[in-house]
Amino acid sequence: MKSAGWTFVLMLSAAAPAQAATFLCDPVRGSPQGNGSPEQPWRTFEEVLAARLVQICDKSGTPSNPKAPVRPGDTVLLRSGWHGAIRIPGGYNRAPITIAAAPGATPQVGWVAVDGGTKWTIRGLAVSPSLAPAPLVKPPHDLVALGERGEDDCAELVVEDCFVYSVLDASGWGAKDWMEKASSGIWLGRNGRNHVARNNYVLNTRFGINLCAPEVLCEGNVVANFSADGIRVTRDGQVVQYNVVKNVFVGDADGDDNHDDGIQCFLFNKGTGTVRDVTVRGNLVIARERDDLPFPNGMQGIGFFDGPLVGFLVEKNVVLVNHWHGITLGDAQGCTIRENACFSRWTGAARPWICLGQKKRQAKGNTVRDNLAHSFDFKADAEVVAEHNQKVTEAAFFQKMAELAAEIDRRFGKVHPVAKRPRLEPAAGPGR
């Protein structure tokens, strides 16, 4: 019996997966000849990738470099300092490979691209070409791109807790700089599904976050200071929730013909067409926190003009904009708009409404209830169920805004862990 018992234990041990390992990169004390241990850390993560020390597995789980020490399920921690650029060609991981900041560290990279594969996580990095010791030859259009070059089966590519920016201080930029020097922030897609952008602070960009794959999650991010659109929704099944989108720059008067939106929706690569089952929940959209910001411009709040839009849920968003379009859904079918608040604090500016619009005469069967706005327009939908929608007051709006800001802070923290900035400046509220 004793021998049989030991045989059983040995069989269990052989069947169990290898224990996940943690490795270390240190740009100051590390060496390319290290082994990734605390005693002998590698130097930069760019060098680790170039040396093929991270396994890249095919769809069957077979690595092209089986002797590489970093395997699916492992973590590589990065200490403070410059780590180059991160370009991961793909790799299908059965458990996530995580590249993350070491405790208390702020590692710096120029840009991040995970072209495809499955289960890669990027966490806690400062991402900007402006951090490079010498100018980068060709910074990419998007500072973080996940799934752009992969196959349709790539999935679960994650960027979270990162500080992503073109430059830290854009106060010297002119209008043309906002259009031409500003990189865009995060790109999820265009291939795969179930990618995630969570709790990132995206600063001084052209476009903030582009969601270009189905069923992706965009939550808890801050998109601050941008010159085009804050967040773009373009595929079925996406969830956009508890983000702060604020401070738009430049417009028609400055030579920029982009019609700026806090959150925009259209069918990817088509411009118009059916998008289904999108959830937009608890987002705080603010055209401008302060009136002394340069290059003033009108910004549409949640502008979903190009449907049909089928089965959308738009709820509990707070929209402070200087444009008629507070929340507009075009050719909406079976959509629900509830418990949102839209307001303008600017004298003489357009007063934002909540609207069911149409370009194709296909709006039908929507429900709109318990919203606050300056006005409402549901004429496009003869079947609409509209209940308990009320004209907004300043007091009611800023109460809603304070409640949502507190909820976002509770979920994701009042101050971003890497950017060290609050999600909302006090000037955005009443008495600014």
Side-chain angles (χ1 to χ4, degrees), residues 201-266:
Y201 198 111
V202 180
L203 177 69
N204 294 337
T205 57
R206 178 65 172 158
F207 293 92
I209 301 176
N210 284 285
L211 308 177
C212 304
E215 300 169 19
V216 302
L217 173 62
C218 174
E219 68 173 359
N221 304 284
V222 178
V223 178
N225 302 1
F226 57 97
S227 62
D229 299 323
I231 297 174
R232 281 182 155 187
V233 175
T234 70
R235 300 289 287 276
D236 294 351
Q238 296 181 345
V239 176
V240 181
Q241 60 184 11
Y242 304 112
N243 303 283
V244 175
V245 179
K246 61 182 187 178
N247 301 340
V248 68
F249 293 79
V250 306
D252 288 339
D254 307 298
D256 184 6
D257 60 1
N258 186 78
H259 294 154
D260 301 339
D261 294 90
I263 305 175
Q264 186 183 37
C265 179
F266 58 92

Side-chain angles (χ1 to χ4, degrees), residues 7 66 89 118 198 205 218 237 276 288 372-373 378 383 418:
T7 301
T118 59
R198 178 185 294 116
T205 57
C218 174
R276 300 177 182 273
R288 299 172 75 77
L372 301 175
F378 309 141
E383 304 172 9
V418 180

Side-chain angles (χ1 to χ4, degrees), residues 33-86:
Q33 289 74 46
N35 59 16
S37 68
E39 297 76 22
Q40 300 181 60
W42 294 312
R43 187 164 59 185
T44 71
F45 190 68
E46 184 177 49
E47 292 173 342
V48 168
L49 290 171
R52 303 187 75 232
L53 298 176
V54 180
Q55 287 190 1
I56 304 298
C57 298
D58 65 17
K59 296 178 184 181
S60 71
T62 302
S64 61
N65 49 342
K67 295 184 179 180
V70 182
R71 302 177 179 184
D74 290 349
T75 297
V76 183
L77 296 178
L78 312 184
R79 285 183 174 158
S80 296
W82 174 250
H83 285 267
I86 295 178

Side-chain angles (χ1 to χ4, degrees), residues 268-423:
F268 185 79
N269 269 358
K270 301 290 185 181
T272 183
T274 302
V275 184
R276 300 177 182 273
D277 302 324
V278 167
T279 296
V280 181
R281 174 188 296 119
N283 300 284
L284 180 52
V285 180
I286 302 173
R288 299 172 75 77
E289 285 183 297
R290 305 193 321 268
D291 289 338
D292 61 348
L293 294 173
F295 307 111
N297 178 34
M299 185 183 78
Q300 298 164 159
I302 297 175
F304 294 2
F305 304 108
D306 297 299
L309 311 176
V310 179
F312 277 45
L313 174 60
V314 180
E315 66 176 0
K316 300 182 180 180
N317 301 283
V318 173
V319 178
L320 179 64
V321 294
N322 48 2
H323 199 282
W324 293 284
H325 292 290
I327 298 174
T328 296
L329 271 63
D331 292 294
Q333 301 173 14
C335 297
T336 298
I337 306 173
R338 66 187 182 200
E339 299 179 55
N340 303 281
C342 302
F343 184 71
S344 175
R345 66 170 180 79
W346 293 274
T347 302
R351 299 302 193 199
W353 57 43
I354 295 177
C355 174
L356 294 172
Q358 60 180 351
K359 294 182 179 180
K360 301 179 179 181
R361 298 184 181 276
Q362 295 182 16
K364 63 180 181 179
N366 301 288
T367 299
V368 189
R369 58 165 54 102
D370 299 317
N371 299 284
L372 301 175
H374 288 278
S375 62
F376 302 89
D377 183 353
F378 309 141
K379 293 190 296 292
D381 182 4
E383 304 172 9
V384 66
V385 176
E387 299 175 334
H388 310 301
N389 300 295
Q390 300 180 42
K391 188 175 180 65
V392 68
T393 65
E394 182 176 32
F397 176 83
F398 281 112
Q399 180 179 345
K400 289 275 191 182
M401 182 173 169
E403 291 171 353
L404 178 56
E407 174 67 9
I408 294 172
D409 288 349
R410 184 187 68 79
R411 288 172 177 266
F412 298 99
K414 187 175 181 63
V415 175
H416 188 268
V418 180
K420 307 300 183 186
R421 295 171 179 235
R423 298 175 189 278

